Amino acid sequence: MQHGPAVRRRKLGAELRALRTSAALTSGEAARLVGWHQSKVSRIETGASGVKPADVRLLLDAYGVLDTDLRELLLVLAGSDEGGGRHHWWHAYRGVLPPTYRDFISLESQASAMRTLETSVVPGLLQTPEYARAVTRASVGGLDDERLDTLVEVRLARQDVLRGEPPLELSAVLDEAVLRREIGGPEVMARQLKRLLEAARLPQVRLQVLPFTAGAHVGITGPFVIFSFSRTSDLDVVVLDHLTSSLYLERKEDLQAYTEAFNSLRFHALSPEDSLDYIAGIGDGA
């Protein structure tokens, strides 16, 4: 388990090594092309040292990488502030957001798919403004109104990934506790349940409810997120969120274990169609 920046360095280095190999270059030849010592290329590829976006650009040029989306993704992993649109909007909040949260948003903005188990609260991408405010106020102590407004603004801005071209594909399993826990009061919760019903009808969103009657399950120890990247599957990562930090799991064994866990949760959960009925029933007071 490692924190986001270390994971990103390792994944970026592995991708750069693969691109160099595809270009039929040795590390020494790559170093000569960009005017470096071979050891610098080796340190970057092993994730032993950080790399500036400008250096990544030099390597990509040397390797003949023209794919705009891939270049942008790798530059974001290197911490680039450049670019426009949804991929970089969070840099305007650098003074407010902790580094681990910025890392999470950067992965979310570039991922093609997101699978998540939620055991306590509605996923941030599906929260209403009132619900997001209540959750943020409860989970982050000592917030003044201005900072609270900013954090809620960030939470809502993240939801643009569901409206992008192409949109993020979201598959979420919600423990029934998520639907029953009254956050923000009855009216706020009623609007939040209605929002879930609306979101579940989107083609890129798949919601399933894990009812209390399912009993103990593999996800009972806590929520998790799996980010997937269509162009570079080696960048797939599991994120475990904690009160003060996030941990990132990148080993293939970890990815396989959490993928199998998520598939098991989906199997034991209600179908998407039955989940819609179940959410509607809770909203109606059933």
Side-chain angles (χ1 to χ4, degrees):
M1 293 185 293
Q2 299 194 31
H3 294 286
V7 170
R8 294 202 304 178
R9 283 200 306 271
R10 287 166 58 91
K11 289 185 174 295
L12 175 60
E15 186 65 22
L16 289 172
R17 182 171 60 250
L19 290 170
R20 174 178 59 76
T21 301
S22 296
L25 294 171
T26 66
S27 58
E29 290 169 339
R32 286 193 293 273
L33 283 174
V34 295
W36 299 344
H37 192 279
Q38 182 179 358
S39 62
K40 180 174 180 176
V41 174
S42 297
R43 289 196 305 271
I44 290 173
E45 291 184 351
T46 59
S49 65
V51 54
K52 297 177 181 179
D55 289 342
V56 171
R57 191 177 294 104
L58 282 176
L59 291 174
L60 295 178
D61 289 344
Y63 302 158
V65 178
L66 302 177
D67 186 320
T68 302
D69 290 339
L70 178 58
R71 288 177 68 97
E72 184 175 3
L73 172 58
L74 297 181
L75 288 169
V76 167
L77 288 175
S80 174
D81 289 341
E82 299 176 10
R86 68 181 178 92
H87 296 313
H88 302 274
W89 61 266
W90 63 90
H91 290 298
Y93 299 93
R94 290 182 71 91
V96 178
L97 305 179
T100 52
Y101 192 18
R102 295 201 304 269
D103 287 328
F104 183 90
I105 295 173
S106 70
L107 290 171
E108 183 180 72
S109 72
Q110 295 288 342
S112 59
M114 173 180 174
R115 289 164 285 175
T116 181
L117 165 69
E118 291 291 349
T119 58
S120 297
V121 298
V122 169
L125 295 182
L126 303 178
Q127 292 178 7
T128 65
E130 300 91 342
Y131 186 96
R133 178 174 292 274
V135 168
T136 304
R137 189 185 294 278
S139 59
V140 185
L143 286 177
D144 57 39
D145 288 343
E146 182 177 358
R147 188 148 189 260
L148 176 61
D149 289 343
T150 300
L151 291 176
V152 172
E153 182 179 317
V154 169
R155 180 70 56 88
L156 299 179
R158 285 173 46 202
Q159 298 176 4
D160 283 347
V161 295
L162 295 176
R163 298 182 286 270
E165 289 295 339
L168 176 76
E169 295 181 6
L170 174 63
S171 180
V173 174
L174 309 182
D175 190 279
E176 185 172 344
V178 172
L179 310 175
R180 299 285 184 184
R181 180 169 288 105
E182 195 174 275
I183 292 177
E187 293 183 0
V188 169
M189 202 62 205
R191 286 192 290 271
Q192 179 60 72
L193 293 176
K194 182 178 179 181
R195 165 67 178 138
L196 285 178
L197 293 174
E198 294 170 349
R201 295 186 176 94
L202 295 173
Q204 69 271 30
V205 175
R206 179 188 179 100
L207 290 186
Q208 290 181 256
V209 175
L210 195 63
F212 289 147
T213 53
H217 53 77
V218 69
I220 203 166
T221 56
F224 60 86
V225 173
I226 306 173
F227 285 122
S228 298
F229 299 84
S230 58
R231 291 177 176 271
T232 49
S233 61
D234 286 344
L235 295 177
D236 291 0
V237 64
V238 177
V239 184
L240 306 179
D241 202 22
H242 297 275
L243 182 63
T244 58
S245 65
S246 297
L247 293 175
Y248 294 69
L249 309 179
E250 60 172 329
R251 297 186 311 163
K252 290 184 178 179
E253 304 94 304
D254 294 323
L255 286 164
Q256 181 178 352
Y258 276 88
T259 297
E260 291 175 355
F262 189 78
N263 291 338
S264 175
L265 290 165
R266 285 183 54 185
F267 177 79
H268 289 95
L270 301 175
S271 69
E273 296 76 19
D274 289 343
S275 294
L276 277 174
D277 294 338
Y278 205 78
I279 295 171
I282 293 176
D284 292 337

